Amino acid sequence: MQYDPKNLDQYFAESLNGFRQKPPDGTWQRLEADLLAARRHRRLILYRWTAAAAMLLIALAAAFYFTTITPDHQPGDQPLSQVQAPATCQPPIPAAPENDILQNITQESTPTIPSPSTGQTAEMITRTTGQSDVPSVPVPTGEPEIAETLVTDEIQKEVTPSEDAEIDAAQPSPGDNHVPDIPEPEQKNILTKPLTDFTFQDQPEVIKTNSRWSIGGSFAPVYAYRSIRIDAEELPPDVNPDINYYNSSEEPVYSYSGGVDVAVNMSDKWQFRTGLYLSSLGHSNQEVTAYEAEGVKDLLKVSSSTGVIRITTSKLPEDFVDNSVRRDSITDAVYINSSIRQSFTYLELPLLVRYALLDRRFGLNLTGGFSPGIMTNYQAQFTYEGERIDLDNESDFYSMILNSQVGLGINYKITGSLTLSLDPAFKYSLNSIRKDHSIEYHPYSISVFTGIRYSF
Amino acid sequence: MDERTLEEIINGCKAGNVKDQERLFNLYSETMFGVCLYYSRDTSEAEDLLHDGFLKIFQHIHTFRYQGSFEGWMRRIMVNTSLERFRKERHLYSLSDVENTLEDVMEENIIGQISTKDLVKLIQDLSPRYRMVFNLYAVEGYSHKEISRMMGITEGTSKSNLARARAILQRNVKHFFLTDSKTIK
């Protein structure tokens, strides 16, 4: 075509029509690598969640191990508690032994001072320390320093006989009129025992009640998504949906779950729970690409793993259409710069069994069971400038859902009847919620329930 | 020669078949690279556009319903990809990219031919905004109203940019014919 400046547009358009050029070598290889990377990225997300769950389990298991297993002991290096009182929570030591001890104390600087076997020496130091707090006892100059030193020495368990003699020398003699205010033996043990000698048996015993029933309430932030599977046998012959499209254009959502329940203890370890919970599940569609419905004005359709979502453009705010909707006049595709959030709300009746791995003030438990529910609401919505725009879905959904549920929780008993709990839980729907089985849609969720429970 | 039909290849791509994706790329990469070239400033940028465009094609190929030309559908995606890139990077363009000084526009006809590659180079030498407006209007056939919405500018700006793009192109074509060398650097 001859160049004519008056027909510049036409000249360029016709000249460029059909223009082609070979792309540089390696373009396909780069593209192929990125296509594979995109697939790997989707898998990686799954692996990350699995790893996070595994780490959580390991952390909880480690916490369980270190809080229940006592430290290793060397032969002859028994914990103080075992030397003084083999059984925990023994009744207070009778007065008579105390008097004997005091008598021993008065036998200061004698060669009969017990050899520094750890238990006995530490016991004597303990009593010395206890007495130093009594203001009425005449205290030789420098005694507080001695007492502090002794406490430190006790922790190190390296007290020499001469030091013991020095300690005993600082004690008032029985001839004094003072009645030493010696703490109760058990109390002294707790106050002065080296930290490394603490065991679970040393902790104050949990107030155990004979409560068989309890009620509670809990609330959880929820990470919700779905797994989908295309059932080729259910598809019409000319339909070939791409599962990768749904997985790349849809994303998880954050929602909530909460409710109340009642529990009955079947034994010390086993508990059954049921209640009523409201849970919101779903996903969101990103990069919305819609198509005009054939023969229907102002109706757009979006393909989603839940089914076809209908958008009536005349119902959309004009601002939204002007700013977020762009129509391609050649391919008929409509690109919408917004995301569609789809939410399924269920009223659930959990039927759970809980097993106590650790039943103390801090408890650790495993939970498993089923959580059937009834769908109370479905919503597909755009959000534009804080306003929610409702959309329709052409699909039919089952009103019932059957979730399986597992969890590993911890709880803390504030009192004998009040308990705080933290229960991470994973729920997976055993049934597809779509009535049209061409795409199996199974919602799942990860929740971290925080709750309080009252036993009666 | 590959004996699979285009429809089979498209269906294979919908199923995520890598071999079919490569077949589709080999079928259309030259044509699409041609489009990318006059939407970009150089070969390197065109290659990036081609890469991003094909990624989108493979991600959205399930939405193609065999209504209209598949090549046209792919071309739209390439144009949209360059448009997205323009919107992302437009804050990076300096004012000097837009404010080109114009010489008197040549009014007389010039008898002659310019190779398509040279025409592409002339377009590539335009500033990003002028290039985008000119391509969308003159080559793709969009209206100023559509262009203003696609590029996030007013219709008046679109018209003004088109007029300037035309003037620059006319000047450069004139310069092309007046120089001895037919190669535009």
Side-chain angles (χ1 to χ4, degrees), chain A residues 1-6 8-13 15-32 34-36 38-39 42 240-246 248-249 287 289 291-292 294 301 303 321-322 325-333 335, chain B residues 11 13-16 18 21-22 25 29-31 33-34 37-38 43 47-48 50-51 54-55 58-60 62-63 65 67 72-73 76 80 83 87 106-114 116-117 119-120 122-123 134 137-139 142 146 149-150 166 169-170 173 177:
Chain A
M1 180 186 174
Q2 289 289 335
Y3 173 72
D4 177 4
K6 290 177 183 172
L8 185 84
D9 294 358
Q10 188 185 357
Y11 178 74
F12 270 87
S15 299
L16 294 175
N17 185 26
F19 172 63
R20 50 193 290 160
Q21 186 170 314
K22 189 174 182 298
D25 292 339
T27 307
W28 165 248
Q29 284 73 15
R30 193 158 68 95
L31 182 63
E32 186 181 25
D34 282 357
L35 287 167
L36 287 172
R39 285 193 194 111
R42 284 192 290 273
N240 186 15
D242 180 9
I243 199 164
N244 290 328
Y245 164 72
Y246 296 119
S248 63
S249 64
E287 300 175 10
T289 305
Y291 286 90
E292 288 186 320
E294 289 178 22
K301 293 188 173 185
S303 178
V321 175
D322 288 344
V325 180
R326 186 168 62 78
R327 190 182 305 269
D328 191 310
S329 56
I330 297 174
T331 61
D332 289 338
Y335 300 100
Chain B
N11 285 335
C13 291
K14 285 181 176 181
V18 178
Q21 288 175 337
E22 186 174 4
F25 180 84
S29 61
E30 291 186 11
T31 308
F33 191 59
L37 274 172
Y38 54 82
T43 307
E47 189 185 353
D48 285 346
L50 184 77
H51 172 273
F54 263 103
L55 269 183
F58 292 134
Q59 284 172 354
H60 296 275
H62 67 282
T63 62
R65 298 179 175 185
Q67 295 167 353
W73 180 82
R76 288 302 97 201
N80 286 332
L83 200 56
R87 284 196 293 249
M106 176 174 61
E107 291 296 335
E108 71 275 19
N109 288 355
I110 292 176
I111 306 297
Q113 291 281 350
I114 311 177
T116 310
K117 278 193 175 181
L119 284 179
V120 169
L122 286 174
I123 293 175
F134 181 79
Y137 186 90
V139 182
Y142 286 108
E146 287 175 308
R149 190 176 287 180
M150 292 159 82
R166 281 174 177 157
L169 284 173
Q170 284 176 352
V173 169
F177 281 112

Side-chain angles (χ1 to χ4, degrees), chain A residues 199-261:
Chain A
T199 67
F200 246 104
Q201 285 74 26
D202 297 323
Q203 291 190 20
E205 187 65 25
V206 173
I207 308 162
K208 285 199 172 183
T209 63
N210 292 324
S211 305
R212 182 171 164 77
W213 293 87
S214 62
I215 56 170
S218 57
F219 182 83
V222 174
Y223 169 90
Y225 200 37
R226 82 291 179 276
S227 71
I228 54 173
R229 187 177 67 83
I230 293 176
D231 188 346
E233 293 180 0
E234 297 282 340
L235 289 170
D238 57 336
V239 176
N240 186 15
D242 180 9
I243 199 164
N244 290 328
Y245 164 72
Y246 296 119
N247 285 332
S248 63
S249 64
E250 297 180 354
E251 288 188 356
V253 291
Y254 294 96
S255 61
Y256 65 87
S257 179
V260 292
D261 61 59

Side-chain angles (χ1 to χ4, degrees), chain A residues 125-434:
Chain A
I125 294 166
T126 300
R127 296 183 187 288
T128 306
T129 312
Q131 282 187 343
S132 68
D133 293 330
V134 180
S136 60
V137 175
V139 178
T141 308
E143 191 192 15
E145 288 102 347
I146 292 170
E148 284 172 18
T149 306
L150 293 173
V151 171
T152 309
D153 288 346
E154 178 205 358
I155 292 170
Q156 295 172 352
K157 297 185 179 177
E158 290 176 359
V159 181
T160 63
S162 61
E163 284 169 341
D164 284 350
E166 218 178 313
I167 297 159
D168 290 343
Q171 305 309 312
S173 68
D176 293 343
N177 292 330
H178 303 289
V179 179
D181 185 12
I182 299 172
E184 290 298 315
E186 191 181 354
Q187 189 183 353
K188 285 183 297 179
N189 292 346
I190 292 171
L191 288 173
T192 60
K193 199 182 296 180
L195 290 175
T196 51
D197 282 350
F198 263 99
T199 67
F200 246 104
Q201 285 74 26
D202 297 323
Q203 291 190 20
E205 187 65 25
V206 173
I207 308 162
K208 285 199 172 183
T209 63
N210 292 324
S211 305
R212 182 171 164 77
W213 293 87
S214 62
I215 56 170
S218 57
F219 182 83
V222 174
Y223 169 90
Y225 200 37
R226 82 291 179 276
S227 71
I228 54 173
R229 187 177 67 83
I230 293 176
D231 188 346
E233 293 180 0
E234 297 282 340
L235 289 170
D238 57 336
V239 176
N240 186 15
D242 180 9
I243 199 164
N244 290 328
Y245 164 72
Y246 296 119
N247 285 332
S248 63
S249 64
E250 297 180 354
E251 288 188 356
V253 291
Y254 294 96
S255 61
Y256 65 87
S257 179
V260 292
D261 61 59
V262 60
V264 56
N265 293 325
M266 297 180 290
S267 71
D268 285 347
K269 294 282 186 184
W270 291 95
Q271 186 185 67
F272 173 76
R273 282 190 183 189
T274 185
L276 278 179
Y277 275 73
L278 201 63
S279 302
S280 178
L281 306 171
H283 74 263
S284 68
N285 291 70
Q286 307 291 328
E287 300 175 10
V288 177
T289 305
Y291 286 90
E292 288 186 320
E294 289 178 22
V296 184
K297 194 183 173 187
D298 294 334
L299 182 63
L300 300 176
K301 293 188 173 185
V302 178
S303 178
S304 158
S305 59
T306 58
V308 176
I309 296 171
R310 299 153 62 98
I311 304 169
T312 307
T313 50
S314 57
K315 291 181 181 175
L316 298 176
E318 284 184 15
D319 284 357
F320 180 78
V321 175
D322 288 344
N323 297 327
S324 302
V325 180
R326 186 168 62 78
R327 190 182 305 269
D328 191 310
S329 56
I330 297 174
T331 61
D332 289 338
V334 178
Y335 300 100
I336 303 172
N337 186 22
S338 180
S339 62
I340 298 175
R341 183 185 173 108
Q342 298 188 63
S343 304
F344 301 89
T345 308
Y346 288 95
L347 185 63
E348 296 181 29
L349 182 80
L351 303 167
L352 304 174
V353 174
R354 172 172 288 220
Y355 178 76
L357 295 170
L358 179 65
D359 186 19
R360 295 199 167 269
R361 186 174 289 277
F362 271 108
L364 186 66
N365 53 70
L366 277 174
T367 303
F370 299 97
S371 186
I374 300 172
M375 190 193 293
T376 58
N377 193 22
Y378 164 76
Q379 281 183 320
Q381 292 179 322
F382 278 131
T383 301
Y384 177 66
E385 292 185 347
E387 187 183 346
R388 290 180 176 174
I389 305 161
D390 286 326
L391 309 170
D392 300 321
N393 194 315
E394 289 183 352
S395 295
D396 284 333
F397 301 108
Y398 288 115
S399 57
M400 293 293 296
I401 190 170
L402 179 61
N403 294 306
S404 58
Q405 180 173 334
V406 290
L408 180 64
I410 55 175
N411 55 273
Y412 177 75
K413 292 177 181 173
I414 307 171
T415 68
S417 56
L418 270 183
T419 306
L420 286 177
S421 62
L422 187 70
D423 297 310
F426 175 75
K427 261 195 282 193
Y428 180 84
S429 167
L430 296 174
N431 64 309
S432 169
I433 63 171
R434 281 185 60 157

Side-chain angles (χ1 to χ4, degrees), chain A residues 39-54:
Chain A
R39 285 193 194 111
R40 285 200 197 103
H41 178 68
R42 284 192 290 273
R43 283 187 204 139
L44 190 63
I45 292 172
L46 182 66
Y47 293 155
R48 279 182 185 163
W49 276 104
T50 308

Side-chain angles (χ1 to χ4, degrees), chain B residues 74-90:
Chain B
M74 291 180 78
R75 183 191 174 91
R76 288 302 97 201
I77 289 181
M78 290 295 167
V79 172
N80 286 332
T81 305
S82 68
L83 200 56
E84 280 173 21
R85 179 175 283 246
F86 170 81
R87 284 196 293 249
K88 274 185 193 167
E89 296 180 355
R90 78 173 135 193

